[in-house]
Amino acid sequence: MQRKQIIWGLVGLFLLFQVFRIETSLPASDPAQDFLSVSGADANTASIIQKACYDCHSNQTEYPWYSHIAPLSWWIQNHIIEGREHLNFSTWGGYSQEDQQKIKEECREVIQKGEMPMASFTWAHPEARLSDEQKAALVGFFGIMNGESE
């Protein structure tokens, strides 16, 4: 009997969690300030960046169906908020030149180290997994943007 009460209590708690929804409306952005509009990235590089980075690091997040189920939705929203705070490709034009240089170097480093995209993201988004070739292309692209030779 006590086991059934615990199970029903957990089901009730799960259903109660669903009342607390995350905000999924996207902030307004000026397309002229977007990284891909000003970076000069070729179509292949732009595609890689969009698939691997833009869900968490832009105002163009695409929320999958499971992002509406609490408490998973809270965890996802927290990642998006932190990602945008750290780097928002949609507001790239608003960063100072100095900040842009630092960000590009950091992008190179986290890609080289395999820290980005995060494993927890690529697990649910296999299209965001970077092959060695894609990693090399991004590392080279961010290096060229910083004035380094290939």
Side-chain angles (χ1 to χ4, degrees), residues 99-132:
D99 285 344
Q100 287 181 4
Q101 293 299 105
K102 289 177 186 176
I103 291 168
K104 290 181 279 191
E105 182 55 36
E106 188 172 348
C107 286
R108 286 185 72 198
E109 288 176 16
V110 297
I111 292 166
Q112 283 177 319
K113 293 178 182 178
E115 295 172 356
M116 287 287 162
M118 293 173 62
S120 60
F121 180 74
T122 58
W123 178 77
H125 301 269
E127 71 279 2
R129 290 187 189 122
L130 299 177
S131 67
D132 290 342

Side-chain angles (χ1 to χ4, degrees), residues 42-70:
D42 62 73
N44 183 55
T45 302
S47 176
I48 296 169
I49 292 170
Q50 278 189 306
K51 288 178 185 175
C53 311
Y54 263 52
D55 266 347
C56 294
H57 293 286
S58 81
N59 294 341
Q60 298 176 28
T61 303
E62 294 181 17
Y63 290 93
W65 66 268
Y66 56 84
S67 66
H68 301 284
I69 301 172

